[in-house]
Amino acid sequence: MQELNILAKSTSDNLDLPRISSDTNDSFLLGKVYIESYGCQMNFADSEVVTAILINNGYGTTSNIQEADSILLNTCAIRDNAEQKIRHRLQTFKAIKSKNPKVVIGILGCMAERLKTKLIEEEKLVDLVAGPDSYRDLPNLLGQIENGQKAINVFLSKEETYGDIEPVRLHSNGVSAFVSIMRGCDNMCSFCVVPFTRGRERSRDLDSILDECQKLYEKGFREINLLGQNVDSYRWENPSTKELITFDKLISLTAQIHTDLRIRFSTSHPKDITNEVLYAMKKHSNICKNIHLPAQSGSNRILDKMNRTYTREWYLDRIRAIREILGNDCGISHDIIAGFCSEDDQDHQDTLSLLNEVIFDFGYMFTYSERPGTPAAKKYTDNVPLEVKSKRLQEIIDLQRKHSGIRNEQMINSIQKVLVEGNSKKSNQHHFGKTDNNKIVVFEKGSEKVGSYVDVKITACTTGTLLGHLNLTNT
Ligand code: SAH
Ligand code: SF4
Ligand code: F3S
């Protein structure tokens, strides 16, 4: 799963801006809530669940922080800088709180779960702390604050999937939507805080997933992003038939809702992605040919210390299987961490050589940030100096940028089926959309509508974007 406030991004997507709640027009009873979201797509999807829970309980939402009765920040704890961003943001709320002491400041999500009561003790502004599995309790927690108390619920559940809650789409372009299929993670990669902030892995029931996707299609959405920390380990047993639904079956069933509904998913784990998943992708033309397969490192010694449970050779074998089954055009992206504990120059060279062997389309790249309480923090020393981490990261970013350029150039002169998502950021004479393999394409508008498919001939590219024109003879 990818954090959206990313350190090194090379697409033109506006992903690093916090997303905020939209307005409800309905008359509301209990006050207006403003929600700002940080972190990965799952957090953004959760904010949509939170909004639904609040609206169902008589609250309204607002995108204007000044008129909010409650300000909720849905936070991330994946790296220290994600948490620093939130602390900094809280400082800017001081003025709001001093003008209106009644305004409620709440912290949701992974940082809330990690720091628990500490947040209320350290940040005097904070009135409410709610972890990722306690959102059904939010109306009750907000009620407690009205009675003059601070409110906290950081209970992690083994069952909660919010499967029955229909999310309220925030800032949606009406074309693409996130659908959570599971929560938590059981993997225990040594560097990672997620198992501690999101708890045990659990899969959402199939029927509620299909129902949500069907409704989205009927509302005009044309792209579904199925979300989980490790989607390949999706497992759900039908209680009456005892049929086991694995991830390959889940994507096949969602793909059958309509051939015009594109299915994407993330994140895949190299140890779990099966050939069955790849064959399901091949069989259904509307399952997008793009796989996000975090590598983290190209060095077996480091992969072992990270407890990733695969080797470089295993990872490369999965890449070979993807290209053999789905062809060379299938988009493949990665995550890499530079400067994990004890990483030496040879380990770093192994990461660069992995990149050179694969030639990825895209990557999210980070310097290692020690997270308190994780196995790595307990067992190893964070001993790669920051300058070395940053230098290695820069080399990785530079190489990835070169590779993104190579992969994009390979698409020049091809004709791509593009789902139109909206006006290009730079010009309202241009539309933008995505190719099947997840590349952003900008092209001069014709008569097509947002949410429709067009054939675009790719004529040029940058490292982050493809440029093209409508291929009218073929539409
Ligand atoms: N479930 C996903 C990852 C979720 S976190 C997976 O297994 O791939 C997204 C990415 O953040 C990770 O892939 C990793 O590259 C990065 N990350 C996680 N913990 C980190 C840490 N402590 N320091 C730096 N980067 C980290
Ligand atoms: Fe973290 Fe590993 Fe789980 Fe991903 S698979 S969320 S990196 S523990
Ligand atoms: Fe996502 Fe950040 Fe939590 S990446 S799962 S919001 S720690």
Side-chain angles (χ1 to χ4, degrees):
M1 183 58 34
Q2 201 45 68
E3 193 200 4
L4 291 185
N5 291 292
I6 49 182
L7 183 66
K9 67 189 170 69
S10 57
T11 67
S12 57
D13 255 356
N14 214 356
L15 293 181
D16 56 345
L17 298 175
R19 309 267 171 97
I20 54 176
S21 52
S22 54
D23 299 301
T24 40
N25 297 320
D26 320 355
S27 61
F28 58 90
L29 301 169
L30 296 171
K32 285 194 179 182
V33 181
Y34 167 96
I35 305 183
E36 219 170 76
S37 307
Y38 295 81
C40 65
Q41 292 166 334
M42 294 218 68
N43 244 20
F44 287 78
D46 279 2
S47 291
E48 301 186 332
V49 167
V50 166
T51 304
I53 291 170
L54 291 172
I55 289 175
N56 293 344
N57 284 277
Y59 289 86
T61 57
T62 176
S63 56
N64 179 358
I65 196 164
Q66 300 300 338
E67 65 170 38
D69 301 294
S70 306
I71 300 171
L72 303 181
L73 297 186
N74 194 0
T75 61
C76 174
I78 200 84
R79 283 169 287 277
D80 185 56
N81 59 8
E83 291 195 359
Q84 292 313 327
K85 205 181 281 178
I86 299 298
R87 291 192 189 273
H88 191 251
R89 188 74 181 121
L90 280 174
Q91 293 314 308
T92 65
F93 293 164
K94 275 197 173 143
I96 296 177
K97 191 91 172 167
S98 64
K99 246 195 264 165
N100 179 5
K102 278 198 144 172
V103 82
V104 172
I105 311 280
I107 303 287
L108 318 181
C110 292
M111 188 179 169
E113 189 63 49
R114 193 180 85 73
L115 292 171
K116 305 186 170 63
T117 50
K118 273 194 202 148
L119 262 172
I120 291 180
E121 289 152 18
E122 287 168 17
E123 303 285 347
K124 301 285 179 232
L125 288 174
V126 173
D127 305 295
L128 177 153
V129 174
D133 287 344
S134 69
Y135 297 148
R136 284 182 206 267
D137 197 27
L138 276 172
N140 171 40
L141 295 172
L142 287 167
Q144 281 178 30
I145 294 166
E146 270 173 34
N147 297 329
Q149 301 159 28
K150 301 265 177 185
I152 177 161
N153 184 342
V154 286
F155 174 74
L156 284 175
S157 154
K158 285 192 182 136
E159 287 95 32
E160 181 63 272
T161 61
Y162 301 110
D164 57 318
I165 291 170
E166 192 180 332
V168 172
R169 309 286 158 191
L170 302 172
H171 276 256
S172 161
N173 57 6
V175 178
S176 182
F178 298 133
V179 172
S180 291
I181 61 163
M182 56 204 298
R183 298 182 74 80
C185 182
D186 283 351
N187 277 332
M188 293 303 268
C189 301
S190 63
F191 52 80
C192 185
V193 78
V194 172
F196 304 93
T197 62
R198 296 216 157 227
R200 299 307 299 264
E201 182 183 290
R202 64 222 99 123
S203 296
R204 178 176 169 188
D205 72 286
L206 174 71
D207 299 335
S208 77
I209 297 172
L210 293 179
D211 188 51
E212 188 175 334
C213 295
Q214 176 72 41
K215 283 191 182 135
L216 284 164
Y217 178 74
E218 284 161 12
K219 283 185 187 152
F221 285 83
R222 291 294 175 264
E223 182 182 87
I224 302 283
N225 294 279
L226 301 174
L227 299 181
Q229 292 297 356
N230 183 5
V231 287
D232 305 282
S233 61
Y234 177 88
R235 285 171 84 81
W236 182 78
E237 191 184 87
N238 185 318
S240 37
T241 63
K242 301 289 170 212
E243 187 192 2
L244 179 68
I245 305 295
T246 47
F247 187 59
D248 54 310
K249 290 189 193 154
L250 173 71
I251 52 176
S252 302
L253 289 166
T254 45
Q256 284 165 45
I257 291 174
H258 200 285
T259 49
D260 271 352
L261 184 65
R262 275 185 167 178
I263 309 299
R264 298 187 186 275
F265 53 85
S266 78
T267 299
S268 296
H269 194 295
K271 81 172 158 58
D272 293 317
I273 188 166
T274 59
N275 286 0
E276 282 70 36
V277 168
L278 304 179
Y279 286 120
M281 291 175 76
K282 185 183 165 92
K283 183 168 169 202
H284 297 277
S285 62
N286 55 328
I287 304 181
C288 291
K289 307 300 177 276
N290 182 66
I291 297 179
H292 183 58
L293 200 66
Q296 314 300 3
S297 171
S299 151
N300 278 337
R301 193 179 71 82
I302 295 294
L303 286 171
D304 184 48
K305 287 185 84 123
M306 287 177 162
N307 194 30
R308 288 290 287 181
T309 69
Y310 54 83
T311 59
R312 172 193 178 96
E313 292 71 31
W314 173 279
Y315 185 91
L316 287 170
D317 176 71
R318 294 291 77 209
I319 298 288
R320 187 195 49 73
I322 292 168
R323 294 207 163 131
E324 208 167 276
I325 296 169
L326 297 171
N328 189 46
D329 287 348
C330 180
I332 310 181
S333 54
H334 65 83
D335 291 349
I336 296 280
I337 298 177
F340 185 65
C341 312
S342 85
E343 184 189 78
D344 62 21
D345 197 52
Q346 183 54 51
D347 299 315
H348 172 57
Q349 293 305 325
D350 288 349
T351 296
L352 295 175
S353 82
L354 182 86
L355 261 58
N356 278 321
E357 270 193 58
V358 178
I359 316 278
F360 290 97
D361 292 80
F362 184 73
Y364 296 93
M365 298 150 283
F366 315 97
T367 49
Y368 172 58
S369 165
E370 185 178 84
R371 307 313 291 130
T374 54
K378 288 184 183 154
K379 281 194 290 186
Y380 309 128
T381 320
D382 179 14
N383 57 358
V384 178
L386 186 59
E387 316 82 74
V388 178
K389 284 180 183 170
S390 304
K391 184 171 166 282
R392 288 182 187 161
L393 176 66
Q394 197 52 51
E395 284 173 21
I396 295 167
I397 291 172
D398 291 345
L399 186 59
Q400 181 50 52
R401 209 162 266 158
K402 185 172 135 205
H403 291 165
S404 297
I406 293 173
R407 292 288 291 169
N408 286 354
E409 273 165 25
Q410 286 171 355
M411 295 184 73
I412 292 178
N413 289 328
S414 70
I415 292 167
Q416 296 292 322
K417 185 175 174 182
V418 172
L419 175 58
V420 184
E421 292 194 31
N423 283 343
S424 138
K425 256 188 285 169
K426 290 188 186 146
S427 134
N428 57 14
Q429 304 301 309
H430 290 75
H431 268 147
F432 86 96
K434 275 200 242 75
T435 61
D436 189 60
N437 63 1
N438 208 29
K439 292 181 193 280
I440 305 240
V441 187
V442 173
F443 56 95
E444 204 171 313
K445 278 182 187 173
S447 56
E448 73 283 349
K449 296 224 158 43
V450 170
S452 65
Y453 290 97
V454 285
D455 283 342
V456 176
K457 177 151 186 188
I458 308 303
T459 51
C461 68
T462 66
T463 54
T465 312
L466 302 176
L467 307 171
H469 56 69
L470 288 168
N471 192 48
L472 295 170
T473 50
N474 276 339
T475 49

